[in-house]
């Protein structure tokens, strides 16, 4: 059959291709869909109006134009989105040379690949459901290629059947297929445009972040949930200040130190970070995390050796009371004030504290008192600040978000000669009562200060708590929900409805379970799972497991396909007689369909006389059972004999039969 | 030696090497059916039927069918008797126990169908009056293959009246040699002795009815007719009358074999003579009668 002539198959092919491409519109430029429509229309003209396929140079031009368009859209060809875009365009343009059934197959197979590519960008349950639908349409298209007119319902039924049949194999592959580490790293999506904490801070950054309702991570505590006020999820220490922007200092960050020993009482909890490249992990202060691909830095932060892509799950144990120690060198570093701004008023204020108060503890107290007594306003939409941003904030506008307070506080402390730094992370969270875990959203992003006090180590000071204590006590949501900027672009504004909250928790439960059990099934989990099931991971045991799990369904299918045509006879003597015949078939002597028992006996006597005596007895008994009245004594006797002698015996064993 | 073997032996004095056909004819008679013998001229159709008639000891009439034969030539006619000034019915040759119809397909359809009522109902209606035929009534007809010149092929309905259609075929070499060396066997037909009589035959016919037919064999017959109706090689399937005929013939055959129950083997042996003339290949099928029967025999399972 010529594929191109099968219009039915072509329609399904186009449909499957469109289905494969459409969900990618979320990451790819929209004009790709327009290109698809153009190519599909062109191909349709070729098929139905006898247009000719484009010649080589035109195809070459199209390919070049597509590549340039991709480059213009992404300003690179080596980002993953751009590569997928090139692949999708190649798939679309293949329509213009779809001549043979082989091309047809190629397009279908490429479409499968494109569907798989979609999962590079997001692996939520919704995405998986969508890709299953895409695969279903592709399977139908594949069937349409090999079938004459068949209704979509019929094909859907066989697709569902095939899908169900392949589930055991899918599970098997999921569980045992080795998780191969990346052979090369691609700049994975999510760096920019994706909401999340960055590794530097300027006034206004976190306020921007707060407008997003996206989930940052989930935490499941072993034991009771600690007080929300105490939950400062420490992310990154920003100690380098150039006058305007806070950033990480590369040297102490790279300075690995042994992971801390956490004293009792420990709080143990499991954190699941949402997907994205993670360069640092969030934990409550002084935490120990047992993971191979991260290290502990001198600033008491957990950093990844290489950005970890995808979701990350880890278990940490913390003790809030433990001291955060440090070396002298990094304390000196934490006094610099930067050169890009002057902030003379703030320096002057701080130097009065430095002159009058000898004890750094007092200077910190003075600064806190300053924040308490000055009428500051905590707002998501502070006015834009000029060159001397600290001065303007402290003495003129007095409206700001957490980073304003933390930033100014650290500036004042440094100016007053107390080593201090900014810590960014998240504060608090939202407790999901249904399933008992904590949700931390991007809107919980927070910045606070740490000051060095010789006897106490790095001590957390949160000036925001001074200005707007309810921010810490109730969480950002409670305080800010009346402000217009907060979560303005999020469906979370449905929060005032109880049912919406319950639904939200339910959906999040599902996503959490999905992340926990499916997405986080990495090689570690796999190893421990397989070790749990198999005892040890050895090639032999793996082979047995594969043979068992993979072979069992096959064996069941084979068994039923062999058994199915063989019906049990309703007639009891006939059943025994047929059993006898089947037994003889296995010994190379088969009764033909239309052969009567007598004819068969005659033939066996000629062809394989060794069975003749036995078969003659069986035939005689069968005939007697078939034609004698059922109530006679000899009927029962014959039937018993017929049943007893179902397995063939050679004539040598004749005496046994006679017994 | 049982009576059937004696009959076969007696007939074989005249017709050599045709034991099977003699047995089939006997079976047909005992099953209350009629027999059609189809073969080329000169292989002994008429001789066999004459010998058979003689051995059965039945009252015997013979009609040679020709193209100008009229129905009244068979059934009889009323003739005006001047002495009694009344019409008197002169029965035709059909009023007999054993009717031999020679070359049945040479007569016109009108005459052929006159025989129809007689064969099916065992009675004839002439000039408004219905007259019963003697009992037993057995028609043995011979015909030339339809492709020979000067024949009116029998319509399906009439073919269906014959329980069996058999052919004789050429004799085997040994029998033929004996035939050729021994002179015309027809001269000794008169010397054959009757082994049966009308009463004996009626008795045997009622014995046939008592032969047992088990469910398994009945199912086999049903499978056969169902297959002929479903399979695409057949223009039309076997009728219920065909199945009834098959069962009746099988019973007679079983009795001839000395059994009081029917085996599937009986059905198989009789399938060709009973069913072949009732089956027609489908328009696009290349197979003819015997192939169709073979198909039935090989495709339908005997024991299930």
């Amino acid at each position: 059959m010529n594929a191109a002539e099968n219009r039915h198959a072509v329609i399904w092919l186009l449909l499957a291709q469109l289905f494969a491409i459409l969900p990618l519109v979320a990451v790819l430029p929209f004009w790709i869909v327009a290109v698809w429509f153009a190519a599909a229309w062109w191909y349709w003209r070729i098929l139905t109006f006898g247009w000719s396929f484009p010649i080589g140079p035109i195809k070459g031009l199209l390919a070049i134009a597509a590549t340039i368009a991709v480059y213009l859209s992404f300003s690179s060809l080596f980002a993953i989105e751009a590569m997928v875009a090139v692949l999708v365009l190649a798939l679309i343009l293949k329509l213009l040379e779809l001549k043979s059934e082989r091309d047809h197959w190629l397009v279908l197979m490429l479409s499968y690949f494109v569907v798989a590519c979609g999962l590079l960008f997001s692996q939520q349950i919704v995405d998986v459901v969508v890709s299953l639908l895409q695969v279903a349409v592709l399977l139908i298209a594949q069937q349409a290629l090999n079938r004459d007119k068949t209704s979509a319902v019929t094909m859907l039924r066989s697709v569902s059947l095939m899908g169900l049949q392949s589930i055991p194999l899918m599970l098997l592959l999921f569980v045992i297929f080795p998780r191969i580490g990346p052979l090369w790293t691609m700049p994975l999506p999510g760096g920019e445009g994706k909401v999340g904490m960055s590794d530097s801070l300027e006034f206004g950054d976190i306020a921007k972040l707060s407008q997003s309702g996206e989930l940052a991570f989930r935490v499941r505590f072993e034991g009771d949930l600690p007080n929300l006020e105490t939950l400062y999820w420490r992310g990154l220490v920003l100690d380098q200040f150039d006058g305007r922007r806070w950033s990480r200092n590369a040297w102490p960050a790279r300075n690995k130190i042994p992971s801390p020993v956490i004293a009792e009482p420990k709080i143990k909890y499991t954190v699941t970070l949402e997907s994205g490249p993670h360069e640092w992990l969030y934990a409550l202060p002084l935490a120990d995390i047992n993971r191979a691909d991260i290290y502990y830095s001198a600033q008491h932060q957990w950093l990844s050796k290489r950005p970890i892509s995808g979701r990350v799950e880890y278990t940490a144990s913390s003790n809030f009371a433990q001291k955060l120690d440090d070396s002298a060198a990094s304390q000196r570093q934490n006094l610099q004030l930067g050169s890009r701004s002057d902030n003379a008023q703030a320096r002057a204020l701080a130097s009065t504290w430095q002159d009058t108060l000898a004890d750094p503890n007092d200077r910190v107290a003075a600064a806190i008192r300053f924040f308490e007594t000055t009428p500051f306003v905590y707002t998501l939409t502070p006015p834009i600040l000029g060159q001397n941003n600290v001065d303007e904030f402290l003495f003129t506008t007095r409206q700001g978000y957490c980073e304003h307070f933390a930033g100014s506080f650290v500036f004042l402390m440094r100016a007053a000669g107390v080593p201090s730094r900014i810590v960014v992370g998240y504060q608090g969270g939202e407790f999901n009562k249904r399933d008992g875990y904590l949700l931390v959203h991007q809107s919980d992003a927070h910045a606070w200060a740490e000051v060095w006090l010789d006897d106490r180590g790095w001590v957390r000071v949160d000036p925001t708590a001074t200005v707007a204590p309810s921010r810490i006590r109730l969480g950002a949501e409670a305080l800010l929900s009346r402000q217009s900027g907060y979560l303005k672009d999020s469906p979370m504004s449905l929060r005032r409805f109880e049912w919406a909250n319950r639904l939200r928790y339910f959906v999040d439960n599902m996503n959490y379970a999905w992340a926990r059990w499916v997405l986080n099934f990495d090689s570690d989990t796999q190893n421990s799972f397989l070790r749990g099931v198999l005892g040890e991971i050895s090639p032999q045991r793996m082979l047995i497991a594969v043979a068992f799990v993979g072979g069992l369904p096959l064996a069941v299918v084979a068994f039923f396909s062999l058994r199915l045509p063989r019906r049990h006879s309703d007639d009891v003597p006939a059943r025994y007689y047929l059993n006898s015949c089947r037994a003889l078939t296995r010994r190379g002597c088969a009764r033909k369909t239309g052969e009567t028992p007598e004819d068969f006996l005659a033939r066996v006597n000629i062809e394989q006389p060794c069975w003749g005596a036995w078969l003659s007895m069986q035939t005689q008994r069968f005939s007697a059972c078939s034609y004698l009245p059922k109530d006679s004594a000899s009927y029962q006797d014959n039937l018993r004999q017929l049943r007893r002698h179902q397995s063939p015996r050679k004539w040598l064993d004749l005496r046994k039969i006679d017994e | 030696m049982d009576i059937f073997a004696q009959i076969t032996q007696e007939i074989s004095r005249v017709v050599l090497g045709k034991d099977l056909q003699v047995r089939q004819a006997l079976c047909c008679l005992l099953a209350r059916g009629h027999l059609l013998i189809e073969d080329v001229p000169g292989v002994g159709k008429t001789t066999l039927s004459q010998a058979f008639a003689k051995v059965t000891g039945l009252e015997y009439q013979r009609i040679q069918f020709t193209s100008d034969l009229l129905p009244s030539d068979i059934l009889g006619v009323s003739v005006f008797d001047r002495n009694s000034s009344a019409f008197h019915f002169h029965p035709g040759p059909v009023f007999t126990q054993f009717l031999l119809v020679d070359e049945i397909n040479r007569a016109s359809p009108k005459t052929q169908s006159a025989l129809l009522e007689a064969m099916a109902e065992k009675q004839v209606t002439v000039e408004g009056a219905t007259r019963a035929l003697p009992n037993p009534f057995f028609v043995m007809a011979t015909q030339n293959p339809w492709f020979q010149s000067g024949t009116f092929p029998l319509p399906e309905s009439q073919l269906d009246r014959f329980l069996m259609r058999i052919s004789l075929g050429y004799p085997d070499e040994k029998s033929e040699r004996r035939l050729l060396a021994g002179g015309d066997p027809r001269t000794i037909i008169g010397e054959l002795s009757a082994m049966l009589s009308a009463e004996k035959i009626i008795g045997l016919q009622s014995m046939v009815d008592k032969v047992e037919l088990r469910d398994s064999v009945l199912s086999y017959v049903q499978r056969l007719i169902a297959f002929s109706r479903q399979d695409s090689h057949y223009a039309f399937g076997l009728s219920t009358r065909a199945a009834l005929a098959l069962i009746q013939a099988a019973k007679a055959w079983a009795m001839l074999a000395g059994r009081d129950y029917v085996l599937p083997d009986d059905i198989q042996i009789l399938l060709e003579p009973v069913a072949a003339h009732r089956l027609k290949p489908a328009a696009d099928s290349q197979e003819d009668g015997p192939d169709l029967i073979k198909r039935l025999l090989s495709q339908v399972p005997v024991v299930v």
Side-chain angles (χ1 to χ4, degrees), chain A residues 72-89:
Chain A
L72 290 179
S73 291
F74 293 99
S75 55
S76 157
L77 282 179
F78 297 99
I80 189 96
E81 291 95 339
M83 288 181 166
V84 173
V86 170
L87 175 72
V88 168
L89 280 168

mmCIF file of all heavy atoms in Angstrom, chain A residues 72-89:
data_model
loop_
_atom_site.group_PDB
_atom_site.id
_atom_site.type_symbol
_atom_site.label_atom_id
_atom_site.label_comp_id
_atom_site.label_asym_id
_atom_site.label_seq_id
_atom_site.Cartn_x
_atom_site.Cartn_y
_atom_site.Cartn_z
ATOM 1 N N LEU A 72 17.236 33.723 15.768
ATOM 2 C CA LEU A 72 16.730 35.048 16.114
ATOM 3 C C LEU A 72 15.810 34.978 17.324
ATOM 4 O O LEU A 72 15.771 35.891 18.144
ATOM 5 C CB LEU A 72 15.989 35.654 14.921
ATOM 6 C CG LEU A 72 16.881 36.043 13.739
ATOM 7 C CD1 LEU A 72 16.040 36.606 12.611
ATOM 8 C CD2 LEU A 72 17.922 37.061 14.193
ATOM 9 N N SER A 73 15.078 33.878 17.450
ATOM 10 C CA SER A 73 14.141 33.760 18.566
ATOM 11 C C SER A 73 14.852 33.528 19.885
ATOM 12 O O SER A 73 14.406 33.991 20.924
ATOM 13 C CB SER A 73 13.155 32.622 18.315
ATOM 14 O OG SER A 73 12.289 32.971 17.269
ATOM 15 N N PHE A 74 15.941 32.760 19.836
ATOM 16 C CA PHE A 74 16.583 32.372 21.095
ATOM 17 C C PHE A 74 17.953 33.016 21.271
ATOM 18 O O PHE A 74 18.592 32.819 22.290
ATOM 19 C CB PHE A 74 16.749 30.853 21.146
ATOM 20 C CG PHE A 74 15.438 30.122 21.226
ATOM 21 C CD1 PHE A 74 14.864 29.569 20.104
ATOM 22 C CD2 PHE A 74 14.779 30.000 22.441
ATOM 23 C CE1 PHE A 74 13.662 28.904 20.178
ATOM 24 C CE2 PHE A 74 13.575 29.337 22.524
ATOM 25 C CZ PHE A 74 13.011 28.787 21.393
ATOM 26 N N SER A 75 18.401 33.733 20.265
ATOM 27 C CA SER A 75 19.753 34.311 20.198
ATOM 28 C C SER A 75 20.833 33.291 20.538
ATOM 29 O O SER A 75 21.864 33.609 21.104
ATOM 30 C CB SER A 75 19.871 35.559 21.092
ATOM 31 O OG SER A 75 19.503 35.254 22.399
ATOM 32 N N SER A 76 20.559 32.054 20.276
ATOM 33 C CA SER A 76 21.554 30.987 20.440
ATOM 34 C C SER A 76 20.987 29.757 19.781
ATOM 35 O O SER A 76 19.773 29.623 19.639
ATOM 36 C CB SER A 76 21.802 30.712 21.915
ATOM 37 O OG SER A 76 22.315 29.412 22.059
ATOM 38 N N LEU A 77 21.860 28.866 19.350
ATOM 39 C CA LEU A 77 21.357 27.593 18.821
ATOM 40 C C LEU A 77 21.643 26.463 19.786
ATOM 41 O O LEU A 77 21.269 25.331 19.556
ATOM 42 C CB LEU A 77 21.990 27.288 17.464
ATOM 43 C CG LEU A 77 21.407 28.041 16.275
ATOM 44 C CD1 LEU A 77 22.144 27.654 15.012
ATOM 45 C CD2 LEU A 77 19.931 27.752 16.124
ATOM 46 N N PHE A 78 22.333 26.796 20.894
ATOM 47 C CA PHE A 78 22.785 25.716 21.754
ATOM 48 C C PHE A 78 22.062 25.650 23.087
ATOM 49 O O PHE A 78 22.430 24.891 23.949
ATOM 50 C CB PHE A 78 24.304 25.800 21.938
ATOM 51 C CG PHE A 78 25.007 25.605 20.627
ATOM 52 C CD1 PHE A 78 25.477 26.683 19.891
ATOM 53 C CD2 PHE A 78 25.122 24.323 20.100
ATOM 54 C CE1 PHE A 78 26.083 26.496 18.666
ATOM 55 C CE2 PHE A 78 25.724 24.134 18.871
ATOM 56 C CZ PHE A 78 26.205 25.228 18.147
ATOM 57 N N ALA A 79 21.037 26.503 23.199
ATOM 58 C CA ALA A 79 20.164 26.309 24.367
ATOM 59 C C ALA A 79 19.243 25.138 24.049
ATOM 60 O O ALA A 79 18.966 24.835 22.889
ATOM 61 C CB ALA A 79 19.350 27.570 24.618
ATOM 62 N N ILE A 80 18.792 24.486 25.079
ATOM 63 C CA ILE A 80 17.982 23.293 24.833
ATOM 64 C C ILE A 80 16.691 23.636 24.091
ATOM 65 O O ILE A 80 16.254 22.896 23.218
ATOM 66 C CB ILE A 80 17.696 22.567 26.168
ATOM 67 C CG1 ILE A 80 17.035 21.208 25.899
ATOM 68 C CG2 ILE A 80 16.803 23.357 27.079
ATOM 69 C CD1 ILE A 80 18.027 20.117 25.900
ATOM 70 N N GLU A 81 16.095 24.809 24.406
ATOM 71 C CA GLU A 81 14.862 25.188 23.710
ATOM 72 C C GLU A 81 15.117 25.351 22.223
ATOM 73 O O GLU A 81 14.321 24.913 21.398
ATOM 74 C CB GLU A 81 14.297 26.494 24.274
ATOM 75 C CG GLU A 81 13.754 26.402 25.675
ATOM 76 C CD GLU A 81 14.781 26.813 26.707
ATOM 77 O OE1 GLU A 81 15.997 26.782 26.373
ATOM 78 O OE2 GLU A 81 14.389 27.150 27.834
ATOM 79 N N ALA A 82 16.263 25.961 21.906
ATOM 80 C CA ALA A 82 16.579 26.185 20.500
ATOM 81 C C ALA A 82 16.784 24.859 19.783
ATOM 82 O O ALA A 82 16.340 24.664 18.643
ATOM 83 C CB ALA A 82 17.828 27.052 20.391
ATOM 84 N N MET A 83 17.420 23.931 20.474
ATOM 85 C CA MET A 83 17.655 22.624 19.838
ATOM 86 C C MET A 83 16.337 21.898 19.585
ATOM 87 O O MET A 83 16.132 21.293 18.532
ATOM 88 C CB MET A 83 18.555 21.791 20.729
ATOM 89 C CG MET A 83 19.981 22.307 20.723
ATOM 90 S SD MET A 83 21.037 21.318 21.750
ATOM 91 C CE MET A 83 22.618 21.907 21.182
ATOM 92 N N VAL A 84 15.442 21.966 20.574
ATOM 93 C CA VAL A 84 14.132 21.343 20.380
ATOM 94 C C VAL A 84 13.390 22.039 19.239
ATOM 95 O O VAL A 84 12.724 21.385 18.428
ATOM 96 C CB VAL A 84 13.320 21.377 21.694
ATOM 97 C CG1 VAL A 84 11.906 20.896 21.452
ATOM 98 C CG2 VAL A 84 13.994 20.523 22.724
ATOM 99 N N ALA A 85 13.542 23.369 19.176
ATOM 100 C CA ALA A 85 12.882 24.106 18.103
ATOM 101 C C ALA A 85 13.385 23.633 16.743
ATOM 102 O O ALA A 85 12.602 23.430 15.811
ATOM 103 C CB ALA A 85 13.119 25.604 18.277
ATOM 104 N N VAL A 86 14.686 23.417 16.638
ATOM 105 C CA VAL A 86 15.255 22.937 15.368
ATOM 106 C C VAL A 86 14.684 21.561 15.026
ATOM 107 O O VAL A 86 14.282 21.286 13.890
ATOM 108 C CB VAL A 86 16.799 22.898 15.455
ATOM 109 C CG1 VAL A 86 17.367 22.174 14.245
ATOM 110 C CG2 VAL A 86 17.348 24.296 15.542
ATOM 111 N N LEU A 87 14.615 20.710 16.040
ATOM 112 C CA LEU A 87 14.077 19.362 15.833
ATOM 113 C C LEU A 87 12.630 19.433 15.346
ATOM 114 O O LEU A 87 12.244 18.761 14.379
ATOM 115 C CB LEU A 87 14.155 18.572 17.139
ATOM 116 C CG LEU A 87 13.519 17.199 17.111
ATOM 117 C CD1 LEU A 87 14.359 16.256 16.290
ATOM 118 C CD2 LEU A 87 13.327 16.651 18.506
ATOM 119 N N VAL A 88 11.834 20.273 16.002
ATOM 120 C CA VAL A 88 10.422 20.376 15.640
ATOM 121 C C VAL A 88 10.286 20.913 14.221
ATOM 122 O O VAL A 88 9.473 20.414 13.428
ATOM 123 C CB VAL A 88 9.685 21.278 16.658
ATOM 124 C CG1 VAL A 88 8.309 21.645 16.146
ATOM 125 C CG2 VAL A 88 9.566 20.568 17.989
ATOM 126 N N LEU A 89 11.116 21.889 13.875
ATOM 127 C CA LEU A 89 11.042 22.443 12.520
ATOM 128 C C LEU A 89 11.433 21.388 11.487
ATOM 129 O O LEU A 89 10.822 21.290 10.420
ATOM 130 C CB LEU A 89 11.945 23.670 12.409
ATOM 131 C CG LEU A 89 11.316 24.935 12.995
ATOM 132 C CD1 LEU A 89 12.348 26.029 13.111
ATOM 133 C CD2 LEU A 89 10.152 25.398 12.123
#
